[in-house]
Amino acid sequence: MIPAKIEDVFIQVTTDISGVIKNIEAGVFAKKEFIINKSIYNVCPFLEGTLEALELEKPFFLEGMLIVSGDNEYNIDIEVFKSPSSIDILLHNRTNVYKYVDQLNQNRNDIFFIKREIAEKNKELDRLRLIADKANEEKSRFLAMMSHEIRNPLNSILGYAELISSENLSDTVVKYMKNLSSAGKNLKVIVDDILDLSRIEAGKLKLAEEEVLLHEIFQNCENDFKHQQKKEDVNLLFEVPKNIPKTIIGDSVRIQQILSNLIGNAIKFTEKGNVTTKVELIADTDDTVKIQLLVSDTGRGMSKEQTLKIFEEYQQNKLSDNRIKGGAGLGLAIVKRLVNAMNGSISVESKLDLGTTFSVEIPFKKNKKTEETSTIKSDIVANIEGKRILVADDDVLNLTIVKHFLSKENAIAHFVKDGLEALSKIEEVPFDVILLDINMPNLTGEQLMQKPEVFRKQNSKTPVLALTANTSQEDLKRYLQIGFSGVISKPFTSKVFVEKIASVL
């Protein structure tokens, strides 16, 4: 038997799944409002929608609700339990407990519906995330394909420019060829920047950990820009103090990429004065060093507002910059992301009409090798004279360029235009080196490399190099895993081409 005082403050009602009252189990509180075979929603309209959403066999609580019985309003708490065939609803009279009935009632109802809305939004976000991931994969696939398609003709442009430049030319033609080569190299930078941005966004950019010669990187930049830079009123200055370590551990390609982007950007916006590049040692511990790279110019400078936007993708501070100065507006965005990937930082100080200074600070591991070991350089000159070399490439223009490069080195070259012709030659003729283009008709270089039986008869120990415009780390790693001795990435110069071949002999 339930004590009268307790009966006065609760009532338990059982309904069917649709909310129709089937039984009043116990309690007398507001009993006259609950009528058998009538809907529970007549008394508790706030349960409408709630009962349908309940999970089976799990209790659910509602606090701070309001019902009306006669002329009285009651503040109640409700416990609900849903079974497969019925719903038990227990109402507690909390009128004397709650002081702020209207506010609590509204809050509890809002929370329940907000939770349900959040759950629905989360499902929608998951669906949109899957769509975005798929779109990003398609974008990466498209960029990789376009990179390959652009690099092949770009290799022809730069290759023929190099070949023409070696001829006896008038001063005017020499000037034209330098401009052509410079334009081709700028196009290569833009292609590389777009691909790097895509890799970074996809989290696929991997930094190398190798011996880095900072002095050599600065020398490379000096050589490159002094040949490319055509502004007579702009002086290029490079400073490397003696206290800079000769070697560190890092990614030399990315360090040079950072410097090249900053120097190229400084030259682009400087019409008169100096572009100064220097390096400073700002911290030195037992295991690490922190290096500061500084690129300063005396160009047009920027306002404070402009400096806040320059590291954004596709950002040009003036609408005319892209048309007049060139570039895709990606260089500084790439620099910032590369610096972040190296756990470094980049900052900029600039004043209008006075110039700009970019400062990059990056921590590097020290090189554990001895000074003597780390600074040894090979004096061997690349020599492929008299070597029998098979070149398989379906691009006639590329073949012509390679033919000139090998002829100049007095190599004995054989040329084929697809994978099937290459297969026939490999089975019949011994070679010193084999070069296979990755994308060829009938049989690709990659497919051919996966047929080891082809090489056993005449070329079981012959090194094979991949000729390819696919330059992602994943691609390069895969080529080495399937048996290639190395990779010659397009576009290439004659020097790089010959050195790659000589390195595997």
Side-chain angles (χ1 to χ4, degrees), residues 353-388:
D353 302 321
L354 293 178
T356 302
T357 297
F358 284 91
S359 173
V360 175
E361 295 183 9
I362 304 175
F364 294 102
K365 294 178 182 178
K366 280 186 172 179
N367 189 0
K368 296 299 184 181
K369 296 179 181 179
T370 64
E371 189 76 8
E372 294 76 19
T373 304
S374 61
T375 57
I376 289 176
K377 283 192 176 181
S378 173
D379 294 327
I380 298 175
V381 178
N383 183 8
I384 59 173
E385 184 176 355
K387 300 299 181 182
R388 297 177 63 87

Side-chain angles (χ1 to χ4, degrees), residues 232-399:
E232 294 181 358
D233 294 330
V234 177
N235 299 314
L236 300 185
L237 305 175
F238 292 84
E239 301 175 13
V240 183
K242 293 182 179 179
N243 68 334
I244 297 299
K246 290 186 177 180
T247 61
I248 53 177
I249 300 301
D251 191 322
S252 59
V253 173
R254 300 304 181 184
I255 296 171
Q256 185 159 334
Q257 187 177 1
I258 289 170
L259 279 173
S260 295
N261 266 309
L262 292 178
I263 297 169
N265 194 70
I267 294 172
K268 186 186 299 183
F269 296 103
T270 302
E271 299 302 326
K272 186 176 182 180
N274 300 323
V275 172
T276 304
T277 305
K278 58 184 178 180
V279 58
E280 294 180 356
L281 178 65
I282 58 175
D284 190 349
T285 68
D286 292 339
D287 299 317
T288 62
V289 291
K290 180 173 277 190
I291 300 296
Q292 184 180 47
L293 306 173
L294 295 163
V295 178
S296 303
D297 65 62
T298 56
R300 76 186 191 192
M302 294 176 285
S303 67
K304 186 175 181 180
E305 291 74 17
Q306 287 173 328
T307 62
L308 298 175
K309 300 185 296 181
I310 56 173
F311 295 112
E312 298 174 8
E313 291 90 346
Y314 313 107
Q315 178 63 39
Q316 301 279 3
N317 275 329
K318 291 185 178 180
L319 292 176
S320 60
D321 281 351
N322 180 269
R323 177 172 53 84
I324 298 173
K325 304 295 183 180
L330 283 173
L332 292 177
I334 292 293
V335 167
K336 183 173 178 62
R337 296 194 181 205
L338 287 175
V339 170
N340 289 342
M342 295 179 182
N343 298 316
S345 61
I346 183 170
S347 59
V348 58
E349 292 183 6
S350 187
K351 291 185 179 180
L352 285 172
D353 302 321
L354 293 178
T356 302
T357 297
F358 284 91
S359 173
V360 175
E361 295 183 9
I362 304 175
F364 294 102
K365 294 178 182 178
K366 280 186 172 179
N367 189 0
K368 296 299 184 181
K369 296 179 181 179
T370 64
E371 189 76 8
E372 294 76 19
T373 304
S374 61
T375 57
I376 289 176
K377 283 192 176 181
S378 173
D379 294 327
I380 298 175
V381 178
N383 183 8
I384 59 173
E385 184 176 355
K387 300 299 181 182
R388 297 177 63 87
I389 301 174
L390 174 66
V391 182
D393 194 335
D394 63 304
D395 191 307
V396 176
L397 294 178
N398 280 332
L399 272 181

Side-chain angles (χ1 to χ4, degrees), residues 63-64 99-110:
E63 297 177 328
K99 293 182 179 180
Y100 306 102
V101 177
D102 292 339
Q103 181 181 349
L104 287 170
N105 178 53
Q106 186 62 46
N107 288 348
R108 299 302 179 180
N109 275 290
D110 287 349

Side-chain angles (χ1 to χ4, degrees), residues 3 26 46 65 96 164 180 186 226 248 257 262 275 277 337 353 383 393 403 413 422 424-425 428 434 448 450 488:
F46 47 79
M65 300 292 106
N96 295 328
I164 296 170
L180 178 61
N186 288 338
K226 282 193 172 178
I248 53 177
Q257 187 177 1
L262 292 178
V275 172
T277 305
R337 296 194 181 205
D353 302 321
N383 183 8
D393 194 335
K403 188 178 296 185
S424 178
K425 282 285 186 183
E428 297 173 2
I434 297 171
L448 184 53
Q450 293 173 348
I488 301 178

